[in-house]
Coordinates of all heavy atoms in Angstrom, one line a residue:
L11 N 36.9 -57.0 -26.9 CA 36.8 -58.5 -26.8 C 36.5 -59.0 -25.4 O 35.7 -59.9 -25.2 CB 38.1 -59.1 -27.4 CG 38.3 -59.0 -28.9 CD1 39.6 -59.6 -29.2 CD2 37.2 -59.7 -29.7
L12 N 37.1 -58.3 -24.4 CA 36.9 -58.7 -23.0 C 35.5 -58.5 -22.7 O 34.8 -59.3 -22.0 CB 37.8 -57.9 -22.1 CG 37.7 -58.2 -20.6 CD1 38.1 -59.6 -20.3 CD2 38.6 -57.2 -19.9
A13 N 34.9 -57.4 -23.1 CA 33.5 -57.0 -22.8 C 32.5 -58.0 -23.4 O 31.4 -58.2 -23.0 CB 33.2 -55.6 -23.1
A14 N 33.0 -58.6 -24.6 CA 32.1 -59.5 -25.3 C 31.9 -60.8 -24.6 O 31.0 -61.6 -24.9 CB 32.6 -59.7 -26.7
L15 N 32.8 -61.1 -23.7 CA 32.7 -62.4 -23.0 C 31.7 -62.4 -21.9 O 31.8 -61.6 -21.0 CB 34.1 -62.8 -22.4 CG 35.2 -63.1 -23.4 CD1 36.5 -63.5 -22.6 CD2 34.8 -64.2 -24.3
T16 N 30.7 -63.2 -22.0 CA 29.6 -63.2 -21.0 C 29.4 -64.7 -20.6 O 29.6 -65.6 -21.4 CB 28.3 -62.7 -21.6 OG1 27.9 -63.5 -22.7 CG2 28.4 -61.3 -22.0
L17 N 29.1 -64.8 -19.3 CA 28.9 -66.2 -18.7 C 27.5 -66.3 -18.3 O 26.9 -65.4 -17.8 CB 29.9 -66.4 -17.5 CG 31.4 -66.1 -17.8 CD1 32.2 -66.3 -16.5 CD2 31.9 -67.1 -18.9
D18 N 27.0 -67.5 -18.5 CA 25.6 -67.8 -18.1 C 25.6 -68.8 -17.0 O 25.9 -70.0 -17.2 CB 24.8 -68.3 -19.3 CG 23.3 -68.5 -19.1 OD1 22.9 -68.4 -17.9 OD2 22.6 -68.7 -20.0
R19 N 25.3 -68.3 -15.8 CA 25.3 -69.2 -14.6 C 24.1 -70.2 -14.5 O 24.0 -71.0 -13.6 CB 25.4 -68.4 -13.3 CG 26.8 -67.8 -13.2 CD 26.9 -66.8 -12.0 NE 28.2 -66.4 -11.7 CZ 29.0 -65.6 -12.4 NH1 28.4 -65.0 -13.5 NH2 30.2 -65.3 -12.1
T20 N 23.2 -70.0 -15.4 CA 22.0 -70.9 -15.5 C 22.3 -72.2 -16.3 O 21.5 -73.1 -16.2 CB 20.8 -70.2 -16.0 OG1 21.0 -69.9 -17.4 CG2 20.5 -68.9 -15.3
L21 N 23.4 -72.2 -17.0 CA 23.7 -73.3 -17.9 C 24.4 -74.4 -17.0 O 25.0 -74.1 -16.0 CB 24.7 -72.9 -19.0 CG 24.2 -71.9 -20.0 CD1 25.3 -71.6 -21.0 CD2 23.0 -72.6 -20.8
P22 N 24.2 -75.7 -17.4 CA 24.9 -76.8 -16.7 C 26.4 -76.8 -16.8 O 27.1 -77.3 -16.0 CB 24.3 -78.0 -17.2 CG 23.8 -77.7 -18.6 CD 23.4 -76.2 -18.5
A23 N 26.9 -76.2 -17.9 CA 28.3 -76.2 -18.2 C 29.1 -75.3 -17.1 O 28.6 -74.2 -16.8 CB 28.6 -75.6 -19.6
P24 N 30.2 -75.8 -16.5 CA 30.9 -75.1 -15.5 C 31.4 -73.8 -16.1 O 31.6 -73.6 -17.3 CB 32.1 -76.0 -15.2 CG 31.6 -77.4 -15.6 CD 30.7 -77.2 -16.7
L25 N 31.7 -72.8 -15.3 CA 32.1 -71.5 -15.7 C 33.5 -71.6 -16.4 O 33.7 -70.9 -17.4 CB 32.2 -70.5 -14.5 CG 30.8 -70.2 -13.9 CD1 31.1 -69.3 -12.6 CD2 29.9 -69.6 -14.8
A26 N 34.3 -72.4 -15.9 CA 35.6 -72.6 -16.6 C 35.5 -73.1 -18.0 O 36.2 -72.6 -18.9 CB 36.5 -73.6 -15.8
A27 N 34.5 -74.0 -18.3 CA 34.3 -74.5 -19.6 C 33.8 -73.3 -20.5 O 34.1 -73.3 -21.7 CB 33.3 -75.6 -19.6
Q28 N 32.9 -72.5 -19.9 CA 32.4 -71.4 -20.7 C 33.5 -70.4 -21.1 O 33.5 -69.8 -22.2 CB 31.3 -70.7 -19.9 CG 30.1 -71.5 -19.7 CD 28.9 -70.7 -19.0 OE1 28.6 -69.6 -19.4 NE2 28.3 -71.3 -18.0
V29 N 34.4 -70.1 -20.1 CA 35.5 -69.2 -20.4 C 36.4 -69.8 -21.5 O 36.8 -69.1 -22.5 CB 36.3 -68.9 -19.2 CG1 37.6 -68.1 -19.5 CG2 35.5 -68.2 -18.1
Y30 N 36.7 -71.1 -21.4 CA 37.5 -71.8 -22.4 C 36.8 -71.7 -23.7 O 37.5 -71.4 -24.7 CB 37.7 -73.2 -21.9 CG 38.1 -74.2 -23.0 CD1 39.4 -74.2 -23.5 CD2 37.1 -75.0 -23.5 CE1 39.7 -75.1 -24.5 CE2 37.4 -75.9 -24.6 CZ 38.7 -76.0 -25.1 OH 39.0 -76.8 -26.1
D31 N 35.6 -72.1 -23.8 CA 34.9 -72.1 -25.1 C 34.9 -70.7 -25.8 O 35.1 -70.6 -27.0 CB 33.4 -72.5 -24.9 CG 33.3 -74.0 -24.6 OD1 34.2 -74.8 -25.0 OD2 32.3 -74.4 -24.1
A32 N 34.7 -69.6 -25.0 CA 34.7 -68.3 -25.6 C 36.1 -67.9 -26.1 O 36.2 -67.4 -27.2 CB 34.2 -67.3 -24.5
L33 N 37.1 -68.2 -25.3 CA 38.4 -67.8 -25.8 C 38.9 -68.7 -27.0 O 39.5 -68.2 -27.9 CB 39.4 -68.0 -24.6 CG 39.3 -67.0 -23.5 CD1 40.2 -67.3 -22.4 CD2 39.5 -65.6 -24.0
R34 N 38.5 -70.0 -26.9 CA 38.9 -70.8 -28.1 C 38.2 -70.3 -29.4 O 38.9 -70.4 -30.4 CB 38.4 -72.3 -27.8 CG 38.8 -73.2 -28.9 CD 38.4 -74.7 -28.6 NE 36.9 -74.8 -28.4 CZ 36.3 -75.9 -28.2 NH1 37.0 -77.1 -28.1 NH2 35.0 -76.0 -28.0
A35 N 37.0 -69.9 -29.3 CA 36.3 -69.4 -30.5 C 37.0 -68.1 -31.0 O 37.1 -68.0 -32.2 CB 34.8 -69.1 -30.1
L36 N 37.4 -67.2 -30.1 CA 38.1 -66.0 -30.5 C 39.4 -66.4 -31.2 O 39.8 -65.7 -32.1 CB 38.3 -65.1 -29.3 CG 37.1 -64.5 -28.7 CD1 37.5 -63.7 -27.4 CD2 36.4 -63.5 -29.6
I37 N 40.1 -67.4 -30.7 CA 41.4 -67.8 -31.3 C 41.2 -68.5 -32.6 O 41.9 -68.2 -33.6 CB 42.2 -68.7 -30.3 CG1 42.5 -68.0 -29.1 CG2 43.4 -69.3 -31.0 CD1 43.1 -68.8 -27.9
A38 N 40.2 -69.4 -32.7 CA 39.9 -70.1 -33.9 C 39.5 -69.2 -35.1 O 39.9 -69.5 -36.2 CB 38.9 -71.2 -33.6
D39 N 38.7 -68.2 -34.8 CA 38.2 -67.3 -35.9 C 39.2 -66.2 -36.2 O 38.9 -65.3 -37.0 CB 36.8 -66.8 -35.7 CG 36.7 -65.9 -34.5 OD1 37.7 -65.4 -34.0 OD2 35.5 -65.7 -34.0
G40 N 40.3 -66.1 -35.5 CA 41.4 -65.2 -35.8 C 41.2 -63.8 -35.1 O 42.1 -62.9 -35.4
R41 N 40.2 -63.6 -34.3 CA 40.1 -62.3 -33.6 C 41.2 -62.2 -32.5 O 41.5 -61.0 -32.2 CB 38.7 -62.2 -33.0 CG 37.6 -61.9 -34.1 CD 36.3 -61.6 -33.4 NE 35.7 -62.8 -32.9 CZ 34.6 -62.8 -32.2 NH1 34.0 -61.7 -31.8 NH2 34.0 -64.0 -31.8
L42 N 41.7 -63.2 -32.0 CA 42.9 -63.2 -31.2 C 44.0 -63.7 -32.0 O 44.0 -64.9 -32.4 CB 42.6 -64.0 -29.9 CG 41.8 -63.4 -28.8 CD1 41.6 -64.3 -27.6 CD2 42.4 -62.1 -28.3
K43 N 45.0 -62.9 -32.2 CA 46.1 -63.3 -33.1 C 47.2 -64.0 -32.4 O 47.4 -63.9 -31.2 CB 46.7 -62.0 -33.7 CG 45.7 -61.1 -34.4 CD 45.1 -61.8 -35.6 CE 44.1 -60.9 -36.4 NZ 43.4 -61.6 -37.5
P44 N 48.0 -64.9 -33.1 CA 49.1 -65.6 -32.5 C 50.1 -64.6 -31.8 O 50.4 -63.6 -32.4 CB 49.7 -66.3 -33.7 CG 48.6 -66.5 -34.7 CD 47.8 -65.3 -34.5
G45 N 50.5 -65.0 -30.6 CA 51.4 -64.1 -29.9 C 50.7 -63.1 -29.0 O 51.4 -62.5 -28.1
A46 N 49.4 -62.9 -29.1 CA 48.7 -61.9 -28.3 C 48.7 -62.5 -26.9 O 48.5 -63.6 -26.6 CB 47.3 -61.7 -28.8

């Protein structure tokens, strides 16, 4: 899962927002379980 996270520095979105969006998606679809 860590390796699947990629950041695109050409996008206008700040890097922090990209990290947040990626982790939120992993949590929302259940790939990151509660308590992990």
Side-chain angles (χ1 to χ4, degrees):
L11 289 177
L12 180 63
L15 293 181
T16 58
L17 304 179
D18 187 348
R19 287 170 170 78
T20 66
L21 295 176
L25 296 176
Q28 295 186 43
V29 175
Y30 158 78
D31 287 339
L33 291 174
R34 180 178 62 175
L36 292 173
I37 295 170
D39 66 16
R41 284 186 285 172
L42 284 178
K43 305 297 183 184

